[in-house]
Amino acid sequence: MVTVVLMHSPFLGPSSMRPLADELASDGVAVLLVDLQMTVNEAPVHQRLMGAFADAVDDSGVSGPLVLVGHSGAGPLLPGFADALEMDVAGLVFLDSDLPTPGRSWRDTVDPGLVSQVKASVRDGRLPRWDRWFDSDPLRLVPAGLREEMRDEAPEVPWEFLKEQRPVVEWSGPCGYVLLSSFYEDAAAKAEKLGWAVERVESHHLAAATSPSAVAAALKAVVSRL
């Protein structure tokens, strides 16, 4: 039996994935939700993320095989997370995220307009909380209690993080993709062309928090096909 290891976006906290973790556990899935909050406060963020992730998995006492699931900004880092572990990783699942871009930074891979918008908001070398990047609050879709918890957890990440090159790590094992929002349709389509297992949930980027049963069903379907 595999253990599903959930990683939240570096721009959010574990509460964004906790409803999904609880849903999977209630379905009898072995699941581990990793808290990566404190690792994104100082550069180099990628190095700190990988080290903290490996320590958290080791300290949890879980054994392989593992399936690593990365939401949003954690998705492109999945090969690096897998490489940091000494136990068997059976597959990677990208949850409404971009695909890996080894050796390239976030700044190199997104629309220049967004880069300019985000850079203009930097104060004292730090980004505002993720929910403040946009004209419309993305957390408005989340129920009030959880919304405030997610808002409180969202870190002010160093601008240097978005300039850091992502780890150059090769991954040749099975991969899958779960699409939640139309924003990542291109990534899902690319995953299909690569022959990956792909499931679509007609929802929004934070559906793991607001529609955990639907996301859990899609995730289990992908994991079963790895």
Side-chain angles (χ1 to χ4, degrees):
M1 183 177 182
V2 301
T3 297
V4 173
V5 182
L6 301 177
M7 277 87 76
H8 59 84
S9 165
F11 305 108
L12 291 170
S15 64
S16 63
M17 298 284 276
R18 189 167 295 117
L20 174 59
D22 291 345
E23 183 70 26
L24 290 168
S26 70
D27 288 344
V29 177
V31 61
L32 171 66
L33 173 58
V34 179
D35 183 351
L36 299 171
Q37 290 181 88
M38 296 305 295
T39 64
V40 298
N41 295 326
E42 303 293 339
V45 176
H46 287 109
Q47 180 179 335
R48 288 162 55 84
L49 272 172
M50 303 305 161
F53 170 75
D55 288 344
V57 173
D58 187 56
D59 291 345
S60 73
V62 302
S63 57
L66 309 177
V67 171
L68 308 186
V69 180
H71 177 237
S72 191
L77 308 181
L78 284 175
F81 285 127
D83 187 65
L85 298 176
E86 296 183 358
M87 61 186 69
D88 178 32
V89 176
L92 310 178
V93 180
F94 300 80
L95 181 61
D96 218 45
S97 77
D98 287 321
L99 302 189
T101 55
R104 301 178 68 196
S105 68
W106 176 91
R107 186 177 62 173
D108 295 334
T109 61
V110 302
D111 181 88
L114 178 59
V115 175
S116 298
Q117 177 183 335
V118 171
K119 187 175 181 180
S121 68
V122 173
R123 297 291 181 271
D124 298 324
R126 294 188 175 275
L127 301 160
R129 294 192 320 245
W130 176 78
D131 58 295
R132 295 178 177 174
W133 289 19
F134 313 97
D135 294 333
S136 178
D137 182 5
L139 296 182
R140 71 190 186 282
L141 302 170
V142 180
L146 180 57
R147 180 194 313 144
E148 293 312 309
E149 185 177 1
M150 290 173 62
R151 204 185 303 279
D152 289 344
E153 285 182 348
E156 295 183 345
V157 177
W159 167 244
E160 289 297 318
F161 176 44
L162 302 190
K163 297 161 58 180
E164 289 178 10
Q165 291 185 346
R166 288 166 174 163
V168 180
V169 176
E170 295 295 329
W171 170 262
S172 57
C175 292
Y177 197 98
V178 177
L179 179 69
L180 305 179
S181 66
S182 59
F183 185 83
Y184 289 101
E185 177 58 45
D186 287 348
K190 184 176 180 180
E192 285 181 321
K193 289 182 180 179
L194 292 170
W196 297 2
V198 175
E199 290 287 329
R200 288 173 166 80
V201 178
E202 294 186 8
S203 189
H204 56 82
H205 189 55
L206 301 177
T210 63
S211 305
S213 59
V215 178
L219 180 56
K220 288 189 295 181
V222 167
V223 170
S224 71
R225 293 156 59 193
L226 293 177

